[in-house]
C-alpha cells in the first residue's frame, strides 16, 4: 500500500508536467500558424501591382539625319498609366524643331513593358504606332529600348535608343535616334500604390 501511494505521488506530477508541456506546445503551434497566416496575407497584399498615372518629357536626337541641331532634335510629351510592369501612354511631339514645319507634328500610342528590373534600375521595350499630320509619309511606327533609373518613387530618368519608320503611298524611310526621358509619377503621399512602388524599388537592393 505504501509502495502504491509512493508511485502515485511520483507519477502524478510527471503526468501534470507532461500535460502542461503538451498544452504549451499546442499553443505555440497555434500562435505560429496564426502568425504565418498574417504574414502571408500581408505579403500577398503588398505584391499586387501598383497602378498610377505618369507624365514623361522626351528629348531625342536623330543620329543618321543630315542637318543642324534643329533638324535633329525631336521633343515630345507622353501621358499614360502604369499597370505594374506595363505602361500605356499617348504621346505627341515634333520630328524636328524647325520653324514653320507643320508636317513634323505627330501623335502616337506607346505601349511599354519592363522586361528586367533590379532595384532602382529597369530595362524597357516600347512599340509605338502613330500618325504624322499633313506628311506624305504619314504612317509612323516605332521600336525602342531604354535603361531606366528610379531616382525616387516619384521621379525617374531613362536613356533611350530606337528606330522610327515612316510609310506613305509612294515612299518610305527609317531613322535612328538616341534620347533622354524624364518621368513624373502621380502618386499620392502615404498611398498603397506609393508603398508598392517603393517596395518594388528596394526589394532587390
Amino acid at each position: 500500500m505504501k509502495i502504491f501511494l509512493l508511485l502515485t505521488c511520483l507519477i502524478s506530477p510527471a503526468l501534470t508536467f507532461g500535460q502542461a508541456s503538451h498544452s504549451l506546445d499546442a499553443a505555440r503551434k497555434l500562435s505560429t500558424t496564426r502568425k504565418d497566416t498574417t504574414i502571408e496575407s500581408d505579403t500577398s497584399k503588398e505584391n499586387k501591382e501598383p497602378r498610377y498615372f505618369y507624365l514623361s518629357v522626351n528629348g531625342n536626337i536623330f543620329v543618321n539625319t543630315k542637318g543642324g541641331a534643329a533638324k535633329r532634335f525631336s521633343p515630345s510629351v507622353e501621358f499614360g498609366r502604369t499597370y505594374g510592369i506595363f505602361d500605356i501612354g499617348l504621346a505627341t511631339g515634333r520630328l524636328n524643331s524647325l520653324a514653320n514645319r507643320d508636317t513634323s507634328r505627330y501623335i502616337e500610342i506607346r505601349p511599354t513593358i519592363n522586361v528586367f528590373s533590379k532595384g532602382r534600375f529597369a530595362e524597357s521595350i516600347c512599340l509605338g504606332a502613330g500618325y504624322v499630320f499633313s506628311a506624305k509619309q504619314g504612317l509612323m511606327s516605332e521600336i525602342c529600348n531604354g535603361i531606366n533609373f528610379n531616382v525616387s518613387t516619384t521621379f525617374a530618368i531613362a536613356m533611350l535608343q530606337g528606330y522610327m519608320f515612316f510609310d506613305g503611298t509612294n515612299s518610305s524611310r527609317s531613322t535612328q535616334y538616341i534620347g533622354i526621358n524624364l518621368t513624373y509619377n502621380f502618386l499620392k503621399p502615404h498611398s498603397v500604390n506609393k508603398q508598392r512602388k517603393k517596395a518594388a524599388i528596394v526589394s532587390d537592393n
Side-chain angles (χ1 to χ4, degrees):
M1 186 65 178
K2 292 181 179 181
I3 295 174
F4 177 76
L5 292 175
L6 179 62
L7 291 175
T8 302
C9 292
L10 292 174
I11 294 173
S12 296
L15 291 174
T16 304
F17 177 77
Q19 291 174 352
S21 178
H22 179 73
S23 299
L24 182 59
D25 290 340
R28 286 177 178 174
K29 290 180 180 180
L30 180 60
S31 176
T32 302
T33 303
R34 288 177 178 175
K35 184 177 180 181
D36 291 343
T37 302
T38 302
I39 292 175
E40 180 64 27
S41 177
D42 292 342
T43 301
S44 299
K45 180 180 179 181
E46 290 300 324
N47 282 340
K48 291 182 180 179
E49 61 185 17
R51 298 184 180 186
Y52 52 86
F53 292 99
Y54 67 88
L55 179 67
S56 296
V57 179
N58 306 319
N60 299 328
I61 298 291
F62 291 110
V63 296
N64 60 346
T65 300
K66 296 180 179 180
K71 190 173 182 180
R72 293 172 178 266
F73 181 64
S74 173
S76 66
V77 176
E78 178 182 343
F79 180 77
R81 185 168 175 82
T82 292
Y83 298 90
I85 64 172
F86 178 74
D87 302 340
I88 181 70
L90 182 65
T92 182
R94 298 174 61 98
L95 297 175
N96 57 61
S97 300
L98 297 175
N100 301 323
R101 287 294 299 272
D102 294 336
T103 56
S104 68
R105 301 180 184 275
Y106 70 89
I107 189 169
E108 179 187 18
I109 296 176
R110 299 181 83 247
T112 303
I113 187 169
N114 291 322
V115 294
F116 172 80
S117 63
K118 180 69 175 179
R120 294 181 180 271
F121 290 91
E123 182 179 0
S124 62
I125 293 178
C126 76
L127 295 172
Y131 180 75
V132 185
F133 298 102
S134 304
K136 293 181 179 181
Q137 300 167 339
L139 297 179
M140 180 182 77
S141 58
E142 177 186 6
I143 181 171
C144 71
N145 67 288
I147 299 175
N148 311 295
F149 176 74
N150 290 283
V151 181
S152 66
T153 55
T154 307
F155 291 97
I157 186 171
M159 295 298 299
L160 307 174
Q161 73 88 25
Y163 298 86
M164 285 186 173
F165 306 90
F166 304 93
D167 294 288
T169 303
N170 300 314
S171 61
S172 63
R173 65 185 178 92
S174 63
T175 185
Q176 183 180 4
Y177 69 84
I178 58 173
I180 189 170
N181 174 295
L182 300 175
T183 300
Y184 177 80
N185 300 316
F186 294 92
L187 290 166
K188 296 180 180 180
H190 311 295
S191 64
V192 174
N193 278 328
K194 190 167 187 177
Q195 294 173 6
R196 291 172 182 165
K197 176 68 174 179
K198 183 177 180 180
I201 292 175
V202 302
S203 61
D204 294 327
N205 282 348

